[in-house]
Amino acid sequence: MLDAVLLFREALYGALVIALACSVLGVYVVLRRIVFVGAALAQLSSAGIALALFLSGYGAMAALGAHPVALALVVTLAGALFFGVEGGGRGPVPPDATIGVTYAVAAAAGILLVAKAATGEAHDIFLQGNILSITRTDTLVLLGVSIPVLLVHLLFYKEFLFVSFDRETARTLGYRVGGWNLLLYLTLGLVIAFAMQFAGVMLVFNFLVLPAVTGLLLARGMAGVFAWSVGSAILAAVIGFTLSVPYDLPTGPAIICVSGLLALLAWGIRALRR
């Protein structure tokens, strides 16, 4: 079994980088109750990849075919800006409805664009993700994106927490709540845009939600929530990956199922503590 896993060790390293970055940002996603913003941004990223394939297939901006993440990044960051300003709420339309509309339209547009792209069928895997295809270069790119984002969150840990959970007090004390809120969304969009092309919508969404839920169930303080979230994401990635390769299982769903089991175990432990 170990030999089979080691054949895909570069993919495992890439999965661990995605698990680490998404599980840290996922704590804010879950606690701020913007879970579906993560899903909507992931769908926007997939729509950006589909648009790049569509345009390159018809000779327009041919370079996008080799680097679809460039357009995915633009589309995802545009979505992050949209949601980061006033929570995506506009007039009489509630923010959660705006998120739902974005998710549905982006998902449909991605499917239509791939269906009509000259090379679309061969690249469906971009939308679903194929974590086993990650190479050493891909892992270095993921590290190049994730390390600066995580450093920003480490340096401004107190600011992000403060403006996330007590906005009025933060505003009273002179914090630029809108600016910090926008920075959080932009870092989230940046990580999602790069992780999406390898992990797919479902696995990215999993790493943004389930590890943070596990952390909230087990930890007694915020530092513990982050630690448990990262730990459970790494553990799920390693176990799911290790089981999927020798038993020829889809890697993403295997990791998600392990994440779900860890969350269920955490719920049981919390229940026993009471």
Side-chain angles (χ1 to χ4, degrees):
M1 178 183 291
L2 182 60
D3 291 340
V5 173
L6 289 177
L7 285 175
F8 295 95
R9 58 182 178 278
E10 298 298 339
L12 176 59
Y13 299 153
L16 292 176
V17 175
I18 293 171
L20 172 63
C22 288
S23 61
V24 170
L25 298 181
V27 174
Y28 295 104
V29 169
V30 171
L31 285 178
R32 291 170 63 111
R33 300 182 180 181
I34 56 171
V35 166
F36 289 104
V37 168
L41 290 178
Q43 280 294 0
L44 281 172
S45 181
S46 73
I49 292 173
L51 180 59
L53 295 176
F54 177 82
L55 293 175
S56 66
Y58 288 94
M61 305 174 71
L64 286 175
H67 304 288
V69 69
L71 194 50
L73 180 62
V74 171
V75 174
T76 309
L77 290 182
L81 279 171
F82 176 74
F83 290 123
V85 178
E86 298 179 14
R90 297 291 184 275
V93 181
D96 57 345
T98 306
I99 295 167
V101 168
T102 303
Y103 179 90
V105 172
I111 293 170
L112 291 175
L113 287 168
V114 166
K116 289 299 179 184
T119 57
E121 291 184 4
H123 292 283
D124 274 355
I125 199 71
F126 267 122
L127 302 181
Q128 301 301 324
N130 181 9
I131 208 158
L132 292 180
S133 69
I134 295 178
T135 64
R136 177 170 297 184
T137 302
D138 297 331
T139 302
L140 292 175
V141 170
L142 286 168
L143 280 172
V145 172
S146 300
I147 289 176
V149 167
L150 293 177
L151 282 176
V152 166
H153 278 266
L154 181 63
L155 288 172
F156 302 109
Y157 172 76
K158 291 182 179 178
E159 285 82 356
F160 279 121
L161 280 183
F162 204 11
V163 301
S164 292
F165 307 119
D166 196 350
R167 292 188 183 191
E168 293 307 318
T169 303
R171 190 173 284 112
T172 302
L173 293 176
Y175 284 84
R176 294 182 177 180
V177 175
W180 288 109
N181 190 55
L182 192 57
L183 181 59
L184 173 63
Y185 276 88
L186 288 176
T187 54
L188 183 62
L190 190 62
V191 168
I192 287 176
F194 279 89
M196 234 302 298
Q197 64 172 330
F198 305 111
V201 175
M202 192 165 55
L203 187 55
V204 168
F205 187 57
N206 165 74
F207 280 137
L208 285 173
V209 178
L210 283 177
V213 169
T214 302
L216 286 170
L217 287 169
L218 293 176
R220 300 180 188 277
M222 281 310 303
V225 173
F226 280 100
W228 278 110
S229 179
V230 171
S232 64
I234 297 294
L235 188 61
V238 171
I239 295 176
F241 197 97
T242 303
L243 291 176
S244 69
V245 173
Y247 293 108
D248 194 24
L249 298 171
T251 304
I255 293 174
I256 294 170
C257 285
V258 175
S259 293
L261 289 174
L262 290 176
L264 185 62
L265 180 62
W267 177 81
I269 292 173
R270 185 180 179 87
L272 290 174
R273 284 176 179 171
R274 294 177 178 173

